[in-house]
Amino acid sequence: MIEVDALDVHYGDFQALFGVSLSLARGRALALAGANGAGKTTLLRALMGAHLPSAGTVRYEGADVTALPPHDRVRRGIAMVPEGRRLFPSLTAEENIKVGAVRAASPDWPLARIYDFLPLAATVRDRRASALSGGERQAVAIARALASGPRLLLLDEISLGLAPGVVEQVYEVVRGLRESGATLLIVEQDLDRALGACDDVVCLLEGRVALTSETAAASREDVVAAYFGTEGPHS
C-alpha cells in the first residue's frame, strides 16, 4: 500500500532521516520503533505530507505522492493520529471529530459507526476538548482520523502518557481496526505492545533503518539491540 524509498529529511541544516526505505502491504500493521530522536515522528510527518523530504520518494497505492500536500493525501485515504492528540480545545469532542470529515467525509465511517466503535468518544461528545482526560482525548483523536475514511492510518505514540487501563482500551481499538481490514503504521515506545499488535517491525536508529523484520521472526532482544545500536543476532 505504501512504499518509502531512500528518504532523506532535513530541518534546515540538520538531517533527521538518512536513506530510509520501508514498505507496508495492505491489511498489515507495522510497528515503528526507536528511541526519542530516532526520526519516527519525522517519518510519519513525511508520509502525511507535513514535512517534505529533501530526497527519495513516497508511493501510495502505486502513485508517487512525495510532493502532495496533506489535504490531498487525506482525500486519497491517509490519516494520522498525531502525538499529543492535537485537538481544538475550544471545540466539543464531536466538533473535533467532524473536522476530520471536512476534506474527505466517508460513508464508511458515519458518526454512528464511529461512536459504536469508540464508545469512550461517544460518552464525551458534548464536552469541550480542553476538559477531557488523556484517554478521552486519544479516543477523540482516533475518531477524528476515522471520520475521513482512511485506508492507511498512522498512529504516533498512541499510549504515551496514558494509564495502563486506558492503554488496554486503546489497543482494543487497534485490534478492532485490524479486524476491519485497516492498514496501520504505529509508533509505540512499549515494545511488547507494539510487537504483539503488529505483523512487521522497523526500528530506526539516529535517522537510519536499523532493523526490518516480521514480528514473528524478530525477538524482543533483536529489536532492543537495534533500538540501542548494540550487537544482536539480526543487527
Side-chain angles (χ1 to χ4, degrees):
M1 173 167 276
I2 194 160
E3 298 174 280
V4 179
D5 183 37
L7 210 66
D8 290 349
V9 176
H10 287 77
Y11 292 93
D13 293 332
F14 173 75
Q15 187 165 357
L17 296 180
F18 300 80
V20 169
S21 297
L22 61 83
S23 62
L24 176 58
R26 187 184 306 277
R28 291 178 74 85
L30 185 149
L32 185 62
N36 289 336
K40 306 182 301 295
T41 295
T42 297
L43 178 55
L44 261 61
R45 285 174 56 83
L47 297 182
M48 197 65 234
H51 199 108
L52 296 181
S54 48
T57 58
V58 178
R59 299 186 67 83
Y60 172 70
E61 295 187 325
D64 187 342
V65 298
T66 310
L68 285 184
H71 61 271
D72 282 337
R73 299 191 199 205
V74 171
R75 288 195 185 103
R76 288 171 180 249
I78 305 175
M80 182 172 172
V81 179
E83 180 182 356
R85 294 83 181 181
R86 305 288 183 89
L87 301 180
F88 295 99
S90 63
L91 300 183
T92 66
E94 185 163 297
E95 287 168 340
N96 270 281
I97 294 168
K98 288 180 176 179
V99 168
V102 169
R103 290 289 183 181
S106 171
D108 295 331
W109 286 100
L111 269 176
R113 185 187 178 196
I114 290 172
Y115 286 147
D116 284 343
F117 198 77
L118 287 157
L120 184 56
T123 62
V124 299
R125 70 181 76 181
D126 295 324
R127 290 170 55 191
R128 291 189 185 277
S130 59
L132 303 181
S133 69
E136 291 164 347
R137 291 179 187 179
Q138 188 65 287
V140 173
I142 294 172
R144 178 182 59 189
L146 293 179
S148 69
R151 296 187 295 280
L152 171 63
L153 187 57
L154 314 176
L155 300 124
D156 194 5
E157 300 287 11
I158 58 173
S159 68
L160 186 65
L162 301 182
V166 178
V167 172
E168 181 57 38
Q169 292 178 42
V170 169
Y171 271 88
E172 284 290 340
V173 173
V174 169
R175 285 188 281 272
L177 288 169
R178 297 216 56 199
E179 291 170 2
S180 74
T183 305
L184 307 176
L185 198 162
I186 301 173
V187 169
E188 177 58 88
Q189 292 286 357
D190 186 333
L191 289 180
D192 292 328
R193 288 276 186 188
L195 296 176
C198 296
D199 305 293
D200 308 294
V201 58
V202 169
C203 187
L204 296 181
L205 176 67
E206 296 178 351
R208 295 175 171 86
V209 174
L211 173 74
T212 300
S213 177
E214 293 186 356
T215 53
S219 68
R220 191 180 192 281
E221 290 71 28
D222 293 330
V223 180
V224 170
Y227 190 104
F228 291 109
T230 57
E231 289 295 324
H234 296 163
S235 63

